[in-house]
């Protein structure tokens, strides 16, 4: 049964939307809206006015035009796995969920290009590409659920982005639905958009503030001919970080270089995903090389040397595809395993210069101790992209308060170490207030002005990315107190 | 002696500029202005009102403010090696030449970052990085002369961009002087700008239409531990292109994959740069792999197999650094060698899907025959970036007319093959009229609107990149005649 729509919802809009996409594809029932109240950022619960599920570009366009005419804001949502709150939509806001826009429209193996709807799941595109010996490189940890549309919005990365780069490197064309329901084609048809004013690159990472991608053209790569995967066990995260730094300093370019700290190892080993990593280890480093087979042994040998020099107590290597999966298991399941320990996890996404990793990690653990929190660190060591995972229970108000304070302090110390506030999860609502730490007032004003070009009435994902005046003032105050160097 | 300034030049501006940068650093003498009348696009001759040479960001800022107050347009110019006319400045336009802004401000080998003034020559940054075992990856053929500022404006590429990507992948921060002399800092401090609205990526390739980069922060990479360079000689350019396609299809990723056609080979071999390539060859393919030493022989063996299968009549390989330089010599000197044959060269910059290379090259040679022109092809085969070089003498009006017709037809056939109008040289004035072939009216309008954010009065490099209404109408007409599929 449909519940009455909230007071803010214009009475004529509902039947209009139902007409456009079919009655079953407009959700206003509070019980069904529940699943749309948060994304991967579980500290926030915002209830949208309605959720609409179009299937085609034409339907999406008509929906956006109708919502615009009703003067309501609109938020696009893929799988809702985002970690910065980009898909959150509050009172009186309409969510366009791309769940039904999940077709791979074209896959051209010769020119290595795919054209997809935004709701296509990352791993599904990967599977389709694999049938032609190709892969879609960006591999967020949520790739079995997250969508290409969400990846574009957040400019997502993943473990293998150390070698292959993030989403923006792979998007060559976009069909974008703008605020009023107009459609603009940016780049595309396999053409390299880098030659002129690059609006494709600008749209990638714009977090739904410019418009909604209705079709996305991406570049595919050949699946590497071979892999060498190592897992090195260390007594401390400092030693593992030292090995990672040494590997990069030797001029090696691993496809992935990932660290799990002791807390994360124990979480995994005590779960059903146990990967056989010693439970008393201080850290594990997963190193993967890929490419043509001949060079891989040399690369792996050099990485092994670096690990031994850094005091690795054990180094495993994979010789088969099954062994490779096993070495990755701990890293890939760490997030899920932590979910067993606490019902909620806040994942930070700061980056720091690689050489600052050991010091910053030590500081993060001091913050954990100060606020009596469990913090697990599983992160992309190769590009200095930290993902401290703060475990908590959102029903415990005191713990939530401590998590928020700890989160702020972690952000501050990363920025103070020369880092930035987001590596691959976007700004959303969670990192918004930190924007003025890394972007000056003129740059923020330019961002705002560019946003207005595409979304003059600020109806597309309002309140995301750009900080409020109060948030800027808060950071100015923090800076004045010497919290940030 | 200073000549009288042109009538358009406001009388009070000249002493102002002389005060700001010193009398010797403001050029209005027609004889000295001569060298600023064209860039690498020699078909155009535009005389600027004046050339100003600031040395610091403060001077640059003051100059831009003064010129803005006088309501004159301004064009930034690096070394003037650009091939699309981006640095051209006509009547009443002030050129800011960055020649004196040539300091490397910072080079941080640990975090692999350099901060430079815009007038730093690409090869000079390379030499400074090399002292730390690092390199700056983008390597335009003009790298011994062209500047980092110009590279940023045009988003320049080079032979090794097949593996390493173009300039936009390497710029992490910018200090930009805007139209009115305001300064905005975009990204920087080694921070990854990819996490939020990416204004750094937007500025790269904006061809001076948004503002002038006063400081540029770039990422450096380690110099590869080893190289394998091959040069394969073929009877036809089709065979060479087939080998290149096969190398990519095998999943190999050469650092460079360059083709010279027969005409280019003869031009080189008859010059003082003779590289010993057989003068009757139809094409030569230069293949280079780099990386850690162990894998390179396997890669080179596989590439050799591909060349043999495509009917290579001879394959040379470099075993020492000297031999590597020698194998590259023909490729690197081809442009200069063609300068011996004709005083002027128009270089096209279209890209086509790699698989279409042989067909498109045959069509280009048909255009050459039709207009009785010498066209040499030396190009980046790996990414389908063609550089047909049309030889002519600009004093021969009939030949100039034939070159312009041939150039248009080559552009049209590349676009018809699914290509785009510029790979790495920018749009400037020369490719401007083709913009509507690959960008729709809505995308062009969005580009214009984004430009207005940064340059509301259209005083920064006006008349570049975005096509006029007449040019759009001309292309619509051509399209209506069926010239473009």
């Amino acid at each position: 049964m449909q519940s009455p729509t909230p007071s803010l919802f214009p009475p004529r809009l509902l039947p209009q939307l139902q007409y456009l996409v079919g009655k079953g594809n407009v959700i206003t029932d509070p019980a069904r809206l529940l699943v749309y109240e948060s994304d991967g950022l579980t500290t926030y619960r915002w209830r949208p006015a309605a959720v609409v599920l179009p299937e085609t570009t034409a339907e999406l366009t008509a929906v956006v035009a109708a919502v615009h005419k009703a003067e309501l804001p609109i938020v696009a949502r893929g799988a809702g796995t985002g970690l910065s709150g980009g898909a959150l939509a509050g009172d009186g806001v309409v969510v366009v969920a791309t769940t039904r826009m999940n077709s791979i429209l074209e896959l051209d193996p010769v020119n290595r290009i795919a054209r997809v709807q935004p709701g296509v799941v990352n791993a599904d595109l990967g599977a389709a590409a694999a049938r032609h010996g190709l892969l879609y490189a960006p591999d967020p940890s949520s790739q079995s659920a997250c969508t290409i549309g969400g990846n574009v919005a957040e400019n997502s990365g993943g473990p293998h982005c150390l070698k292959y780069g993030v989403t923006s490197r792979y998007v060559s064309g976009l069909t974008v639905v703008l605020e009023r329901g107009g459609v603009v084609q940016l780049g595309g048809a396999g053409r390299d958009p880098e030659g002129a004013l690059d609006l494709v690159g600008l749209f990638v990472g714009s977090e739904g503030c410019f418009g909604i991608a209705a079709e996305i053209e991406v570049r595919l790569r050949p699946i590497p001919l071979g892999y060498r995967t190592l897992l090195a066990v260390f007594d401390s995260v400092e030693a593992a970080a030292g090995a990672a730094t040494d590997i990069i300093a030797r001029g090696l370019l691993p496809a992935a270089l990932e660290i799990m700290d002791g807390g994360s190892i124990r979480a995994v080993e005590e779960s059903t995903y146990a990967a056989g990593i010693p439970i008393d280890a201080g850290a594990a480093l997963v190193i993967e090389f890929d490419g043509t087979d001949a060079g891989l042994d040399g690369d792996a040998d050099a990485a092994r040397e670096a690990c031994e020099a850094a005091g690795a107590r054990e180094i495993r290597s994979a010789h088969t595809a099954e062994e490779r999966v096993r070495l990755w298991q701990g890293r890939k399941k760490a997030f899920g395993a932590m979910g067993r320990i606490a019902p909620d996890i806040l994942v930070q996404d700061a980056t720091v210069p690689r050489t600052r990793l050991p010091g910053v990690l030590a500081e993060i653990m001091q913050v954990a101790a100060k606020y009596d929190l469990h913090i697990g660190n599983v992160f992309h060591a190769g590009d200095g992209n930290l993902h401290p995972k703060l475990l908590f229970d959102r029903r415990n108000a005191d713990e939530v308060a401590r998590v928020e304070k700890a989160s702020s302090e972690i952000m501050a110390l990363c920025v103070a170490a020369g880092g930035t506030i987001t590596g691959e999860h976007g700004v959303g609502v969670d990192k918004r207030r930190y924007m003025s730490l890394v972007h000056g007032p003129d740059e923020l004003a330019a961002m705002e002005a560019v946003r207005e070009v595409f979304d003059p009435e600020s109806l597309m994902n309002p309140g995301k990315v750009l900080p409020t005046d109060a948030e800027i003032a808060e950071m100015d105050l923090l800076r004045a107190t010497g919290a940030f160097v």
Side-chain angles (χ1 to χ4, degrees), chain A:
Chain A
M1 213 182 72
Q2 296 279 325
S3 77
T5 54
S7 57
L8 273 164
F9 206 72
R12 285 174 55 194
L13 181 57
L14 184 61
Q16 245 180 330
L17 294 174
Q18 289 172 334
Y19 170 78
L20 290 173
V21 299
K23 209 162 182 173
N25 295 312
V26 182
I27 303 170
T28 54
D29 174 2
R32 290 183 65 202
L33 286 180
L34 211 62
V35 294
Y36 297 95
E37 279 187 5
S38 70
D39 57 9
L41 179 69
T42 61
T43 33
Y44 292 72
R45 301 272 146 171
W46 293 6
R47 178 170 300 182
V51 176
V52 190
L53 296 102
E55 195 178 8
T56 62
T57 300
E59 283 184 8
L60 172 61
T61 307
V63 166
V64 172
V67 175
H68 172 260
K69 209 172 165 196
E71 294 175 17
L72 292 191
I74 200 159
V75 173
R77 181 186 177 99
T81 54
L83 292 163
S84 59
L88 291 175
D91 259 5
V93 179
V94 176
V95 167
V96 170
T98 59
T99 323
R100 295 174 66 228
M101 298 183 76
N102 62 353
S103 295
I104 296 174
L105 302 169
E106 190 188 344
L107 202 156
D108 173 353
V110 175
N111 290 303
R112 295 179 179 165
I113 279 168
R115 201 162 47 84
V116 304
Q117 287 191 301
V120 168
V121 170
N122 179 300
D124 291 346
L125 174 58
R131 286 194 280 277
H132 302 279
L134 298 172
L135 65 79
Y136 176 64
D139 59 341
S141 296
S142 58
Q143 70 183 134
S144 62
C146 68
T147 63
I148 302 297
N151 295 171
V152 167
E154 305 298 328
N155 197 10
S156 305
H160 289 83
C161 292
L162 173 60
K163 180 170 179 181
Y164 292 113
V166 294
T167 301
S168 57
R169 201 180 290 178
Y170 294 92
V171 180
S172 56
L174 291 161
T175 305
V176 174
V177 178
L178 298 172
E179 192 184 65
R180 289 153 198 246
V183 175
V184 59
Q185 175 66 34
L186 306 178
R191 295 179 169 122
D192 186 346
E194 288 168 341
L197 297 183
D198 182 14
L199 299 186
V200 174
L202 179 67
F203 186 89
V204 177
S206 63
E207 304 197 21
C209 297
F210 287 7
I212 302 175
E215 289 181 19
I216 300 155
E217 187 188 274
V218 296
R219 299 188 182 98
L220 306 172
R221 300 181 62 100
I223 293 176
L225 300 177
Y227 291 96
R228 291 295 181 280
T229 311
L230 303 172
L231 185 144
V233 179
F234 294 89
D235 285 331
S236 71
V237 80
E238 288 75 13
T245 302
D246 187 17
I247 286 168
I248 297 286
R250 285 169 186 243
L252 299 168
L253 179 54
L257 195 54
E258 301 278 313
I259 290 179
M260 302 171 64
D261 71 0
S264 311
I265 291 170
R266 281 181 288 285
V268 166
E269 293 305 324
E270 288 163 4
S271 78
T272 52
Y273 308 120
I277 306 172
I279 204 134
D280 64 334
L285 174 65
V286 178
I287 310 154
E288 184 159 282
F289 295 97
D290 65 17
T292 48
D293 225 52
L296 293 172
D297 287 328
D299 288 348
D301 287 346
R304 183 181 283 272
E305 262 178 45
C307 291
E308 282 165 0
R313 62 189 231 196
E314 182 186 342
I315 304 170
R316 300 173 189 183
S317 60
H319 297 278
T320 65
E322 291 70 34
E323 287 171 352
R324 179 177 172 235
V325 169
R326 184 157 169 80
L327 289 196
W328 270 104
Q329 176 161 315
R331 168 64 187 88
K332 295 227 167 179
K333 298 296 186 188
F335 191 82
M338 286 183 206
R340 278 183 67 251
I341 300 174
D344 294 285
I345 303 179
L346 180 76
V347 187
Q348 276 293 9
D349 178 37
T351 68
V352 297
R354 201 169 35 237
T355 49
R356 303 293 296 271
L357 279 174
V360 166
L361 285 162
E363 288 181 69
I364 289 174
M365 296 323 284
Q366 285 164 15
V367 172
K370 176 175 168 188
Y371 290 106
D372 190 22
L373 293 168
H374 281 285
I375 298 185
N377 287 290
V378 179
F379 59 97
H380 312 313
D383 41 21
N385 189 184
L386 286 166
H387 289 320
K389 291 168 178 59
L390 288 69
L391 308 187
F392 68 104
D393 183 338
R394 70 172 176 279
R395 293 161 300 186
N396 179 339
D398 177 66
E399 198 170 51
V400 169
R402 282 182 283 127
V403 160
E404 288 184 350
K405 275 187 195 146
S407 177
S408 259
E409 286 190 23
I410 289 172
M411 195 62 85
L413 68 90
C414 289
V415 171
T420 186
I421 61 173
T422 168
E424 56 182 18
H425 297 171
V427 177
V429 290
D430 193 50
K431 312 295 184 302
R432 199 181 63 185
R433 62 186 154 152
Y434 306 114
M435 281 288 276
S436 65
L437 294 181
V438 287
H439 302 285
D442 293 333
E443 185 173 16
L444 290 173
M447 288 182 183
E448 179 77 52
V450 170
R451 177 193 173 138
E452 276 172 21
V453 166
F454 295 92
D455 179 38
E457 296 167 59
S458 290
L459 291 175
M460 306 303 286
N461 211 2
K464 305 292 169 65
V465 183
L466 295 166
T468 63
D469 290 346
E471 286 165 343
I472 293 173
E474 183 198 342
M475 288 302 127
D476 285 347
L477 196 66
L478 272 176
R479 217 186 320 236
T481 63
F484 310 114
V485 186

